[in-house]
Amino acid sequence: MTAVHVPGTPVIEDGRLVSTSPANGAEAGRLPVATAEDVRRAVDRARAAGGWWAGLGFGGRRERLLRWRSLLARRIEELAELVHVEGGKPVADAIVEIVSAVEHVDWAARNARRVLGPRRVRSRFILAEFSAHLEYQPYGVVGVIGPWNYPVFTPIGSAAYALAAGNAVVLKPSEYTPAVGQWLVDTFAEVVPEQPVFTTVHGLGDVGAALCRSGVDKVAFTGSPATARKVMAACAESLTPVLLEAGGKDAMIVDADADLDAAAEACVWGALTNAGQTCIGIERVYAVEPVFDAFVGKVVERAGRLTVGPDDADIGPITMPSQVDVIRRHIDDALARGGRAVLGGADAVQPPYVRPTVLVDVPEDSAAVREETFGPTLTINRVRDADEAVTRANALSYGLGGSVFGQRRAVAIARRLRSGMASVNSALTFAGMSTLPFGGVGDSGFGRIHGEDGLREFGRAKAITRRRARSLLPSTTFERTPADVARLVKAIKVMYGR
């Protein structure tokens, strides 16, 4: 099929997925489209390779993953340029993304043995004659379905942890950023040439569906709640476990004792980095009455200085062209319902770019407040106090991340947010912290990547007991006597009956 290219929109030509820049239509990559049978064969090859990979043990995998980490670090400019060309992201933002990904590869490689390796677990009184051990064994083959907005950081957040745990990985990159996904796999193969441990399959949504039904042992997905439900339904057919990160509508709360300059700086970064195309981006702000006007002024001043355009601008194009219509609808709806644009507005939408837009006094039932916008827009609403701010922040079905600025009560407020993560006096910082788990609740999905919890997501817990002595209180045998049962009852009463 031959089609007229809308810059940034993937098309299929002669069995190949053609990826182009959303800024100028320049071709970024041309990858073969996988059929359902191709996907199944890729998983079969990965399963055979996974046996070899698991057999390397933690030490062998660590050494190879650290070699990949070093390659990523050495070639960071090359990868950043590809991310820029294919997705439109400014090179500086791409470098920050890759730096965070490198940190995660390093941490997963160095900590997999400690977190997942065999360890002794204390026995309990009734089974004191047994020793207990726990270890985490790899699933086998993990399918990773990646997003386009962070095509390096997000897939690596699953793939590196799955690989460190001993799994083979089949990556289905977003059709908007397939060249970046292929680059990651190709560079891994440079340092692990022996077996196809980390491979890709390319195509549109049907290829992702095929991966879910291909016999993989687990699927890690990042994308919209609607697609997450489809992934979960497809995996349910074979009871394949899933890990879902399904977006958010994160809120920032600005309390009366906040450092307003720091809050405004973090807000502008958290809301507008990557043109607002960030699942944990700040899309809503609730500022308490005493500081509302001053805070809005500081945000507008900082956001108004940002440049928009290709190459060295602060904000690049909208990567997925159809998202421009969503952003336009949210802005128009907010203004029609009585909201005010104190920066930007309807005229800010100039495809493929959207200029920073700050909206105030937006009704809580508007699309701009309730739906994920995924653009460089921000609503800031006035609240009486932090309690009202928490109530409004928690009113949506999303629950990914959040931010709180303040002093005396900030941590307590952060704990009250219905979210998987929160930053205090910063924004988005939990994502780069490789020691912390990343994930959400509600419509933001479930399961965790990153940190110790992220490693455990990619290993099956295996519990092992071993007899080490004769039973003094025989219970798990038909050879027990009435006297044994009487002693057991007496022991339990002594131990726990008080």
Side-chain angles (χ1 to χ4, degrees):
M1 178 182 72
T2 301
V4 176
H5 281 70
V6 176
T9 300
V11 297
I12 296 175
E13 293 182 354
D14 299 324
R16 292 190 170 261
L17 177 65
V18 181
S19 174
T20 58
S21 166
N24 55 29
E27 186 171 312
R30 189 174 288 251
L31 291 309
V33 174
T35 65
E37 184 56 32
D38 292 333
V39 174
R40 187 170 292 279
R41 282 197 295 265
V43 171
D44 290 343
R45 288 193 299 270
R47 189 170 308 285
W52 169 82
W53 180 249
L56 292 176
F58 290 108
R61 295 194 295 271
R62 167 181 164 141
E63 187 269 333
R64 287 162 174 80
L65 284 166
L66 291 180
R67 288 210 311 255
W68 189 42
R69 173 216 61 191
S70 298
L71 184 154
L72 294 173
R74 290 194 307 271
R75 294 167 63 178
I76 188 170
E77 295 92 349
E78 175 188 338
L79 179 54
E81 181 62 25
L82 179 58
V83 170
H84 167 64
V85 169
E86 187 168 48
K89 181 177 298 190
V91 170
D93 277 357
I95 286 175
V96 171
E97 175 185 353
I98 298 163
V99 166
S100 296
V102 169
E103 284 271 319
H104 281 288
V105 175
D106 182 80
W107 191 90
R110 293 182 183 278
N111 289 276
R113 183 194 299 273
R114 176 182 61 82
V115 176
L116 304 177
R119 66 179 186 272
R120 186 168 176 174
V121 179
R122 292 189 64 178
S123 303
R124 295 289 289 173
F125 171 70
I126 297 303
L127 294 173
E129 69 274 21
F130 291 89
S131 63
H133 291 80
L134 174 64
E135 62 186 69
Y136 291 81
Q137 299 178 346
Y139 278 90
V141 181
V142 172
V144 175
I145 302 176
W148 49 263
N149 59 328
Y150 286 88
V152 177
F153 173 78
T154 304
I156 280 181
S158 294
Y161 287 77
L163 289 165
N167 302 280
V169 173
V170 178
L171 168 65
K172 192 279 178 189
S174 168
E175 56 267 36
Y176 290 88
T177 53
V180 173
Q182 189 63 48
W183 191 97
L184 295 176
V185 164
D186 289 345
T187 54
F188 186 85
E190 290 181 30
V191 298
V192 185
E194 299 95 330
Q195 295 275 354
V197 173
F198 184 25
T199 56
T200 50
V201 291
H202 295 288
L204 306 180
D206 60 310
V207 177
L211 184 59
C212 293
R213 297 185 172 98
S214 65
V216 291
D217 300 294
K218 187 162 188 173
V219 170
F221 166 83
T222 302
S224 70
T227 306
R229 291 183 176 93
K230 294 178 181 177
V231 167
M232 191 171 179
C235 289
E237 296 170 10
S238 55
L239 292 181
T240 300
V242 294
L243 185 163
L244 304 175
E245 195 266 275
K249 189 73 177 177
D250 288 2
M252 172 183 282
I253 294 173
V254 183
D255 206 1
D257 58 354
D259 179 334
L260 297 187
D261 287 316
E265 178 185 354
C267 177
V268 170
W269 165 257
L272 304 181
T273 183
N274 196 29
Q277 301 168 120
T278 304
C279 57
I280 53 170
I282 302 300
E283 295 204 5
R284 304 176 287 153
V285 180
Y286 298 105
V288 299
E289 174 70 39
V291 302
F292 177 83
D293 291 328
F295 174 75
V296 170
K298 291 177 183 294
V299 168
V300 169
E301 190 275 327
R302 284 170 170 79
R305 296 199 306 254
L306 300 179
T307 57
V308 179
D311 301 325
D312 295 330
D314 298 309
I315 297 176
I318 302 303
T319 302
M320 190 166 68
S322 61
Q323 194 66 26
V324 173
D325 294 332
V326 176
I327 299 167
R328 181 186 289 112
R329 175 171 61 84
H330 285 193
I331 293 173
D332 290 346
D333 180 67
L335 297 175
R337 289 170 173 265
R340 294 183 295 113
V342 292
L343 180 69
D347 294 339
V349 182
Q350 300 171 12
Y353 302 98
V354 177
R355 298 190 173 277
T357 294
V358 179
L359 304 162
V360 299
D361 302 329
V362 181
E364 291 293 301
D365 61 351
S366 68
V369 172
R370 299 197 65 83
E371 299 176 14
E372 189 172 36
T373 305
F374 237 55
T377 67
L378 177 69
T379 65
I380 309 178
N381 279 342
R382 188 188 318 256
V383 290
R384 293 185 309 274
D385 52 31
D387 289 338
E388 182 183 357
V390 170
T391 298
R392 292 197 187 190
N394 290 345
L396 303 189
S397 56
Y398 288 107
L400 193 54
S403 173
V404 178
F405 269 81
Q407 299 302 322
R408 185 170 58 88
R409 298 173 295 179
V411 173
I413 294 168
R415 288 194 176 109
R416 294 170 60 193
L417 288 176
R418 181 180 169 272
S419 65
M421 305 161 290
S423 297
V424 174
N425 294 330
S426 64
L428 319 189
T429 44
F430 43 73
M433 195 77 71
S434 53
T435 51
L436 286 176
F438 182 103
V441 299
D443 279 2
S444 292
F446 53 81
R448 295 295 183 266
I449 58 175
H450 304 172
E452 294 188 6
D453 287 15
L455 282 170
R456 293 189 188 102
E457 281 283 354
F458 297 105
R460 292 188 179 98
K462 183 64 173 286
I464 300 173
T465 59
R466 180 180 180 184
R467 180 182 290 278
R468 58 185 178 181
R470 183 176 62 85
S471 297
L472 298 178
L473 292 171
S475 57
T476 57
T477 173
F478 285 117
E479 303 300 318
R480 64 187 174 228
T481 66
D484 290 332
V485 174
R487 283 195 299 271
L488 184 63
V489 170
K490 183 177 180 179
I492 288 296
K493 287 182 177 180
V494 169
M495 291 288 296
Y496 306 120
R498 295 192 293 259

